[in-house]
Structure formats: structure tokens, C-alpha cells
Amino acid sequence: MKKRSAFSVRGITLIGVLAACVFVLTKFISIPIPSPLGKTALSLGNSMCILSSLLFGPVIGGLASGIGNALVDLTDPAWAHEFYITFINKFLMAYMAGIVMQHFKLGGEKLRVCVAGLCGAVTYTVLYVTKNIIFGLFRGFTWQVAVIETLTTKLPVSLVNGVLAVVCATILFFALRRPLQKAHIIE
């Protein structure tokens, strides 16, 4: 893929459109799950985060992912106070997937896309679990309770989201790559 500047008119436009897609998929295509450590949700938003970075690179994908998910947090009082953490975590998830996609030439393209998506999903899962354990401690839970609650509620949801993200992003990457190339949106 041709590297495009994230701060050109085209790059900013892509970030805005992709952030809107991330927002819609995260906010409206999700199943909320209550937890003592705060809400969590099954969502297709991570699929768009990873897809954005696979198609458009780590910076554009990362910014779109961070902005789209931060906006979701800002529209929900349960998550608004941690929007900046979500921005960082989602940016890093997409950035990692984009870096692996651009710089590591692993086997065939299908393997590279899957590994890049998996690296992004694992990055997010580690960051998300760590954040929830730390927040549990700040909320007054003991270390054991924070870890057990995170591992029994938040981790399974995060793993399911990760699997959905990798599968959906991989399928959509191969479905959209050629049409986007023909439209000269990507090379």
C-alpha cells in the first residue's frame, strides 16, 4: 500500500470517515455486558479499527480508531471519564496491526493479514486487562478480586471481540482491497 500522510487533506478525510465507521460499529452494533468493574460490551468496532490500519496504515488507522472510540466513550457517562485511555489503547491496537502489516513480510499475504490483525487484538487485550485491574484497585477492590473479576468478566469479552475483529477484518480486507485499489484510494 502506498504510504499517505495522515495530515494531508486526503489523510484527514480518511481519518474522519473511518472514525465515523468505528463510532457507529462500536456504539450501535454492540451488546453491553454489566460488570462490577464497569460496563463492557461485545462489539464489531474493533473489526473496523484493525481493518482501517490494514488498509490505510498504522497512523491513519490508529488515529481513526482512537478518535472513533474516544467519541463513543464521551457519549456514555459510564465511560466518559476514561476516554483518553480508550484513545491510547485503541490507537495502539490499530497502530500495532498496521506496523505488522507494513513491515513484516510473513509468508503469503493471507498469513500476514491474519498475523497483523492478531497482533493488534492481542495488544488491545493486554492493555484492556491491565487497565481494568488497575482501575479495580483504585475502586477499592483487593488485588485478588480485581484480577479475578477482570479475568472472569472482562477478559472473555475482550477475547471474543478480538477473534471477531481478526476474522471480520481479514474477510473485509480481501473483499475491499481490490475495489479500493481500482478507485485509487489505496495502491
Side-chain angles (χ1 to χ4, degrees):
M1 314 293 153
K2 183 177 177 185
K3 293 181 184 177
R4 299 197 187 278
S5 171
F7 303 105
S8 65
V9 172
R10 186 177 195 149
I12 292 169
T13 303
L14 277 171
I15 291 167
V17 170
L18 296 169
C21 293
V22 168
F23 178 86
V24 168
L25 286 173
T26 304
K27 181 78 175 171
F28 301 111
I29 313 294
S30 66
I31 302 169
I33 298 169
S35 161
L37 291 177
K39 283 181 11 179
T40 190
L42 285 172
S43 164
L44 292 178
N46 287 354
S47 302
M48 190 65 205
C49 295
I50 291 174
L51 179 64
S52 297
S53 63
L54 295 176
L55 290 171
F56 300 104
V59 176
I60 289 175
L63 288 172
S65 300
I67 291 167
N69 280 290
L71 290 172
V72 170
D73 280 7
L74 288 170
T75 62
D76 189 330
W79 288 328
H81 66 283
E82 57 187 69
F83 78 93
Y84 62 95
I85 297 170
T86 299
F87 175 86
I88 293 166
N89 289 349
K90 296 293 185 161
F91 175 87
L92 290 173
M93 171 183 64
Y95 189 82
M96 179 61 73
I99 288 292
V100 171
M101 183 68 180
Q102 280 187 348
H103 296 291
F104 296 98
K105 306 301 179 202
L106 308 164
E109 187 177 37
K110 288 181 183 176
L111 178 62
R112 186 172 54 143
V113 168
C114 289
V115 169
L118 184 62
C119 287
V122 168
T123 298
Y124 178 71
T125 300
V126 169
L127 292 169
Y128 183 69
V129 166
T130 302
K131 177 204 75 153
N132 279 287
I133 291 171
I134 292 169
F135 271 43
L137 295 172
F138 281 129
R139 289 187 179 131
F141 291 107
T142 65
W143 171 256
Q144 293 82 6
V145 171
V147 169
I148 290 170
E149 177 59 30
T150 298
L151 295 181
T152 58
T153 305
K154 302 277 188 163
L155 179 62
V157 173
S158 188
L159 291 173
V160 170
N161 280 336
V163 169
L164 283 172
V166 173
V167 170
C168 291
T170 300
I171 292 168
L172 289 171
F173 174 84
F174 288 107
L176 295 174
R177 183 179 46 136
R178 298 251 189 252
L180 289 172
Q181 287 171 332
K182 286 181 182 180
H184 303 287
I185 296 172
I186 61 173
E187 295 207 13

